[in-house]
Amino acid sequence: MRRQTPRFDFFAFQDIVTGTTGILIVITLLLSLSIGANRINRALDSRKAKAGEAEHILEANKASRILQTELQARQEALAELEAEQSQLAGYLQTEVDHLKYLLDQADPSTQYRRILPPRAKGLQHPTLAIAHADSLTIKNADGIVVLDLNLKRPLSQLQARMSDLVSSENGLLILVKPSAFAHYDKLSAFGLKNGKLQFPYCFDIIEEDWEVVL
């Protein structure tokens, strides 16, 4: 009769191996998922950072375009100002050259005099008339000739021509040069008409080489 020995049961060992293997597989899966999640989070953070940098770059480009536009406007304004300054400088230089020419052409013996208006009533701002030779030259406040009359004409005609320039408010100041002494009587009665005072006036004698302004 064969002797029977007890059999070894490996079921418990297999369970341990299977359970351990399952646990290792689960841990491996969890680690894989964790690593994948970390990668995804890093990728998202990187994209957010890049998006923030792109937005910052867009804002910087926008600010740069605004500054370039303002710079261009300022450069155009500066160019216009320089053009105006150049034009003004040219105008002033022309005036200076013209005055220099007049000074070079002027007679050095000529004397320029500024006459103070009379204090009499109605003559504080008179019309200036200069009698020389056979002419009566009327000048405005800037010394520019506005009318030139021939003293050989009758007094009534001369008074008629002067009626638009002289009034009772401004009056007439006549300065007589020696070359016009032949018309002295006519000049001395210039403001009278039919023996009545037509407008305030006075007269005086000046040197022949004087150039006079009020």
Side-chain angles (χ1 to χ4, degrees):
M1 185 176 180
R2 184 180 292 181
R3 185 179 177 183
Q4 294 183 352
T5 57
R7 297 175 59 188
F8 291 97
D9 190 358
F10 293 99
F11 180 75
F13 178 74
Q14 290 177 351
D15 288 342
I16 293 172
V17 172
T18 302
T20 303
T21 304
I23 292 172
L24 291 175
I25 292 172
V26 170
I27 292 174
T28 302
L29 291 175
L30 291 175
L31 289 175
S32 299
L33 293 175
S34 177
I35 293 172
N38 291 334
R39 289 181 178 178
I40 293 173
N41 290 331
R42 286 197 298 268
L44 291 175
D45 293 338
S46 177
R47 289 185 178 181
K48 288 181 180 179
K50 290 182 179 179
E53 292 178 358
E55 185 177 357
H56 180 70
I57 292 173
L58 290 176
E59 292 179 354
N61 291 335
K62 183 178 179 181
S64 177
R65 288 193 297 270
I66 293 174
L67 291 176
Q68 288 178 353
T69 303
E70 184 177 355
L71 176 61
Q72 184 177 1
R74 290 179 180 270
Q75 289 176 343
E76 292 176 356
L78 179 61
E80 292 178 359
L81 179 61
E82 290 178 348
E84 292 179 357
Q85 289 178 342
S86 178
Q87 184 178 3
L88 179 59
Y91 171 76
L92 293 176
Q93 186 62 45
T94 302
E95 291 293 320
V96 170
D97 294 341
H98 180 64
L99 291 175
K100 183 178 179 182
Y101 171 78
L102 293 178
L103 290 176
D104 293 339
Q105 297 296 321
D107 185 358
S109 62
T110 301
Q111 301 184 47
Y112 292 88
R113 299 295 179 96
R114 180 172 292 277
I115 302 298
L116 295 177
R119 296 183 179 180
K121 184 178 180 181
L123 288 171
Q124 284 81 7
H125 303 285
T127 299
L128 177 62
I130 301 174
H132 54 98
D134 295 328
S135 298
L136 183 65
T137 302
I138 292 84
K139 295 183 177 182
N140 60 15
D142 296 325
I144 300 175
V145 177
V146 296
L147 185 62
D148 201 355
L149 301 176
N150 188 349
L151 288 175
K152 292 183 178 180
R153 299 174 64 180
L155 178 60
S156 58
Q157 293 183 8
L158 297 175
Q159 290 174 333
R161 291 295 306 276
M162 290 288 293
S163 60
D164 295 334
L165 298 176
V166 184
S167 67
S168 59
E169 296 179 356
N170 59 350
L172 177 66
L173 172 61
I174 302 176
L175 300 178
V176 184
K177 293 185 176 182
S179 59
F181 280 175
H183 306 283
Y184 186 82
D185 293 338
K186 185 181 295 184
L187 294 170
S188 62
F190 209 92
L192 297 175
K193 189 174 183 179
N194 298 325
K196 295 182 180 181
L197 186 64
Q198 189 176 8
F199 46 76
Y201 82 103
C202 65
F203 59 93
D204 200 353
I205 299 173
I206 61 173
E207 297 290 340
E208 190 69 37
D209 61 348
W210 282 15
E211 289 292 336
V212 181
V213 292
L214 288 178

